[in-house]
Amino acid sequence: MPKLTLVPPEVEAYADAHTTAPAPLFGELRDVTYARMSSPHMQVGSVEGTFLRMLVALTGARRVLEIGTFTGYSALMMAEALPDDGALITCDVNPEATDVARAFFLRSPHGRKIDLRMGPALDTLKTLQGPFDLAFIDADKPSYAAYWDAVLPLLRPGGLIIADNVLWSGRVLQPEAPNDHAIVDFNAKVSADPRVEHVLLTVRDGMMLARKR
């Protein structure tokens, strides 16, 4: 994932200061992530995490699917907005990152709502049954299109898919590397899909929101 450059740091800080602060546990999770992980910027920021939590609450979601756990920040944020009997399935392949996630899930009263599935997400998705109310895609960029094809049928009508990093630090405007082209192709795929209505938001590194018709 490239370094985020779309939002000036002082603007990001201003937005953060005017957003509901997460629980202290999230600050500790961020510190541990930056101390232990080689690519800590893969973690969603507090503004984006709070936005995800709000989307779960606004949609009344009870079942959430996440592709890309990393150290668990986004999963925990979304789990906070789920009802007591809600469930979130999150998929990842990185044991180092998910060890951090598991440790923090255990420390949160909402961690019991989270079911972490290890292994290639496309394999995991074949074992799942819908309907899900909301899905968050934030994993390897070359597989975004395949994740879309696998996730959308699992989503209920009216459900929401959110894909992260869809502006890719602006490289979508002049794509060169394979990841650049993968994001460009994904955005075009979503835009041409008649099964959804969608909006691309300039939140952090870009978020695609698509509502299933």
Side-chain angles (χ1 to χ4, degrees), residues 7-23 26-27 30 44-51 53 73 77 203-204:
V7 181
E10 60 273 18
V11 175
E12 187 79 20
Y14 185 87
D16 187 62
H18 292 80
T19 297
T20 299
F26 288 94
R30 180 174 177 81
V44 302
S46 59
V47 172
E48 185 177 1
T50 302
F51 182 50
R53 182 178 64 194
Y73 195 106
M77 271 287 193
V203 175
R204 206 166 185 241

Side-chain angles (χ1 to χ4, degrees), residues 98-184:
T98 52
D99 281 350
V100 175
R102 290 181 194 276
F104 278 83
F105 293 166
L106 289 173
R107 295 177 56 191
S108 169
H110 303 283
R112 60 181 177 76
K113 306 172 189 175
I114 301 173
D115 179 3
L116 174 57
R117 306 284 182 93
M118 296 298 295
L122 290 174
D123 292 341
T124 300
L125 290 170
K126 294 175 184 177
T127 71
L128 301 181
Q129 291 187 338
F132 287 90
D133 304 300
L134 183 146
F136 179 48
I137 301 174
D138 185 16
D140 58 306
K141 309 314 168 191
S143 297
Y144 263 38
Y147 294 146
W148 174 267
D149 289 336
V151 168
L152 191 57
L154 296 173
L155 203 68
R156 67 166 173 82
L160 185 66
I161 294 182
I162 307 149
D164 200 14
N165 305 121
V166 293
L167 290 177
W168 205 232
S169 292
R171 296 180 187 181
V172 291
L173 299 180
Q174 292 182 312
E176 297 179 1
N179 280 351
D180 305 348
H181 287 283
I183 293 297
V184 169

